[in-house]
Every structure is written in structure tokens, then in C-alpha cells.
Amino acid sequence: MPRKLPLHVERNHVKGHTYLSFRRGKGPRIRLPNDPTSEEFLAAYQAALLGQPAPVRDRFVPAAPGTIAALIASYMKSAEYVGLRDTSKAGYISRLEMLRTEHGHRTVAGLSRERIITGILQPYADRPGAALDTLKKLRILIRHAINIGWLKHDPSLGIKRPKIKKIRSWTDSEIEQFKKRWPLGTKQRTAFHLFLNLGQRRSDVVRMAQTHVTPERKIRIKQQKTGRELLIPLHRDTIEALDAYDMHHIVIITTAYGKPFTVDGFSGWMRDAISEAGLPLDCKPHGLRKAAGRLLAEAGATAKMIMSILGHTTLAEAERYTEEADQAGLAEDAVIKLEGHRANRIAQTTSVGLGKTPKTRGKSERQE
């Protein structure tokens, strides 16, 4: 049987010859090298996935055995990598290509904790997000090296994950400020409600279409990141926003030219709307997803209820919202109890002796 080809790669038969080409949907065909196991094919396939020009063929030099470049080529042929979603592969490819370009000549056997920290991660000291992603991809390669017998232990053990600033939830006042700037009927207000009341990621909101809304006013969502399929009732605020919004395309949110957004274009457009509302830079679109989880937890939703909306695959992330809400509620109850306790320590009647309030210690002491 013929070898199974990577995603979006097809065989074309022309005049008795078979060629391989890359084609996403109904887009243009991009010619690929004929050997799907060659490094030349892998590099051209990576470039096609990223929408980049095909690399010049004479630049390809076979990776030396035992090097990081050879390990990357081996990993990209593995079942683990082949089984990734197309969107995940695109994210992997850019980081793997960086590792191949900058460190491909290094030997896998020469990797050590010190060399990883100083040689690979140190250049990203001022970019913790890039450092964390580099460490994640490197550990994936190291696991693959152990599986194929190139390493006996993990040299990255003991390396602390770089700390990155987490995206925070929007506050209630920030939510109201955005709504005040963008009234019902505007595209910005409609996108805002799709984020906040459905709690989805930008990659899912940008693809929401009129055909996804059922007659019962629910919306069907297949999350791009997890592949999980959700059916979520529309919040009355979202229904109000959709009814007030004049849609001219099957996709709900479109560009100024009436075309669907790309994910990055949509993110930039939403960023502009947030800035124009006078909100700070750390108010990010993803923070509305965090706000959705926070509001659900504060309303008393259980962790499993939050999972059913946000699409989390584990309880741990959803439980974080409920724990934060429980903490805030318990803290408020505790302060109310403390205030009540202090009030009860003050005598309810005034002493007639010298006009002073006697000190009490919980129980009144009866004098004989």
C-alpha cells in the first residue's frame, strides 16, 4: 500500500508520472519533493504549512548523525508529530526550525543542564514566553531521543520553567467601560459578547457563523485547540447583541471589507477596540475568557459546569475559578463575622457609676 502522506499533501498523476503537492482546501498547489521521507521534503512541507516560500534546494545539507538537526528530522517522522493537528504543527514548526537553525549542529549526546540554560535559553532572558516555548519543544525532542535510544536520561531535569505573566480576567468596571464605548449594534460590542458570554478563545470566536446558531438559540462550537464539540445556550445579552447587529456574511464577525478575519487579524482588530475604549494594555481579548470563568464561578457554577462552557478537558483548570470564587466569598463572610463579633463585645447598656463603659470579656461577671 502507498505510504500515508502528511496533512494537506496529495498525489498528482500527470502523464504517467506521480508528483507530490501541498494544497490546503481549495488553495493553490505547491510542488513538493517526491520523497516524503527526505529532509528536503520536510523543510518544503514546513514552509508550505507556514505559508512561506519554498527554501532553495541547494541549501539542503544532510544533518550529521547524532545532531539536534537529525533529531528534529527524526521526530517529524514520528507518529507523535504526524498525529498533531495542523494548527499545532504550525506552532511546533516555527520553534523547531529555530532550534534547527541555531543549534542543529550541536550533538544530542552533548546536551547538559548547563548547556541548555546558557546556550539555548539564556538568549531569551528578556522574553520569558519564548524561553518557555523553547524549553517545552526541547523537552519533546529529548523525550523522543530517549525513546529512540539516543539519550539515556533527560538533561533538562531540574531546569525551572520561565515565569511568564498570566493574562488576567477583566474586572467588572472594565467590562462596563467597554460596553459604554461600544453600544449594541456595533461589531465590537457583538464580538465582546461572543467572547464574554461564551468564554471561547479567539481562534473559535473568529470562526463563529450564523449557521452555528440553532433555532433554540444555542450555538455549536468545535474548539480548534482541543477539537471538543460544545453546544452552549446563548446568554440573553448575546441574543440581544446579535439581534441588534446587522450581519452581511455567514461569518458573524468580518473585516471592514466584509471578509472573514484571520486569527491574528481578528486579535489585532479587537486590541484596537479595547484601546479605543480607554482600557489598559493588560486588558486582552483572552482576558474575557478568564472573566467568563470568574463570573460563572461567582454565580455558583460548579467546576463541571464551567468545563461545559469553556471546554476544559481537565477539572484542574475549572476548579481554579471555583476556588478563587470560594476564597472571595469565604473571606467576605469571615470579615462580616469578625465585625459582628467586635460589635457584640461592646456593652449594650451604659453604666451609671462614673459614666464609664465597663470592660467585658464575652460573659458578664456577676458580682456578689
Side-chain angles (χ1 to χ4, degrees):
M1 293 183 64
R3 173 186 292 273
K4 185 177 180 180
L5 297 175
L7 189 66
H8 301 310
V9 176
E10 57 186 31
R11 291 184 175 87
N12 307 118
H13 304 283
V14 182
K15 296 181 179 180
H17 297 279
T18 300
Y19 304 96
L20 297 181
S21 63
F22 177 95
R23 191 182 191 190
R24 183 184 277 117
K26 296 183 179 180
R29 286 188 175 87
I30 302 172
R31 177 72 184 276
L32 298 174
N34 290 332
D35 183 3
T37 64
S38 68
E39 292 183 24
E40 183 179 0
F41 175 90
L42 290 174
Y45 177 63
Q46 293 172 24
L49 276 175
L50 294 173
Q52 298 173 348
V56 180
R57 293 194 176 193
D58 59 9
R59 291 181 184 174
F60 290 102
V61 177
T67 60
I68 291 178
L71 178 62
I72 291 173
S74 174
Y75 169 70
M76 294 185 71
K77 298 176 185 176
S78 68
E80 179 182 350
Y81 177 79
V82 172
L84 292 173
R85 293 184 179 86
D86 189 26
T87 51
S88 298
K89 285 180 180 177
Y92 275 50
I93 283 171
S94 59
R95 189 61 59 186
L96 293 176
E97 182 62 18
M98 180 280 298
L99 287 169
R100 187 192 67 79
T101 302
E102 299 182 9
H103 308 285
H105 62 285
R106 302 179 188 273
T107 63
V108 176
L111 285 174
S112 65
R113 182 175 179 272
E114 293 72 24
R115 288 176 179 173
I116 292 173
I117 293 174
T118 59
I120 298 178
L121 299 179
Q122 186 61 35
Y124 301 102
D126 59 338
R127 289 174 288 165
L132 178 59
D133 188 50
T134 300
L135 181 60
K136 286 180 178 179
K137 300 305 185 291
L138 186 61
R139 281 177 166 161
I140 290 172
L141 292 174
I142 288 172
R143 287 199 302 269
H144 179 67
I146 293 172
N147 289 338
I148 62 177
W150 288 21
L151 286 174
K152 293 184 178 180
H153 69 281
D154 184 350
S156 71
L157 288 175
I159 298 178
K160 294 183 179 179
R161 292 163 57 97
K163 292 183 178 180
I164 59 175
K165 189 175 182 181
K166 293 184 178 179
I167 298 175
R168 67 171 179 84
S169 166
W170 286 33
T171 64
D172 291 342
S173 62
E174 288 166 344
I175 289 172
E176 291 305 316
Q177 184 172 335
F178 187 95
K179 290 164 66 175
K180 185 177 180 180
R181 170 60 186 85
W182 301 109
L184 288 171
T186 61
K187 188 185 303 182
Q188 291 84 351
R189 179 68 171 269
T190 307
F192 164 85
H193 282 292
L194 294 177
F195 269 112
L196 179 64
N197 297 325
L198 294 172
Q200 300 304 306
R201 302 175 183 87
R202 58 176 187 161
S203 57
D204 299 317
V205 175
V206 73
R207 294 182 295 110
M208 289 181 183
Q210 298 185 55
T211 52
H212 297 156
V213 180
T214 70
E216 297 78 23
R217 307 312 293 264
K218 299 178 181 180
I219 188 166
R220 296 187 181 278
I221 301 167
K222 184 174 182 179
Q223 293 187 319
Q224 189 172 13
K225 182 177 180 179
T226 65
R228 187 173 181 186
E229 296 185 3
L230 308 173
L231 179 62
I232 304 174
L234 292 176
H235 190 281
R236 60 174 175 266
D237 290 348
T238 307
I239 294 174
E240 185 182 18
L242 290 173
D243 289 344
Y245 176 55
D246 189 14
M247 283 180 273
H248 299 283
H249 194 281
I250 190 172
V251 176
I252 296 175
I253 305 298
T254 58
T255 68
Y257 302 100
K259 303 293 184 182
F261 273 107
T262 63
V263 175
D264 289 339
F266 178 57
S267 184
W269 172 80
M270 195 67 188
R271 175 69 263 169
D272 291 341
I274 293 169
S275 297
E276 195 168 334
L279 295 170
L281 290 176
D282 61 348
C283 266
K284 300 183 181 297
H286 194 72
L288 287 171
R289 174 172 163 85
K290 296 289 186 72
R294 174 181 66 82
L295 293 171
L296 284 166
E298 290 174 356
T302 65
K304 287 192 174 182
M305 289 178 181
I306 294 173
M307 287 178 68
S308 70
I309 299 292
L310 303 188
H312 292 138
T313 54
T314 63
L315 277 171
E317 184 66 19
E319 284 176 342
R320 185 172 60 80
Y321 292 105
T322 57
E323 288 170 359
E324 290 176 357
D326 289 344
Q327 181 276 323
L330 290 172
E332 186 173 349
D333 292 342
V335 172
I336 292 173
K337 287 181 180 295
L338 179 61
E339 291 174 345
H341 176 65
R342 286 177 175 172
N344 289 334
R345 291 183 61 177
I346 300 175
Q348 301 300 314
T349 58
T350 304
S351 174
V352 296
L354 298 176
K356 295 181 180 180
T357 302
K359 296 181 180 179
T360 61
R361 295 184 180 87
K363 295 182 179 180
S364 62
E365 296 180 2
R366 185 175 179 181
Q367 297 184 4
E368 300 295 337

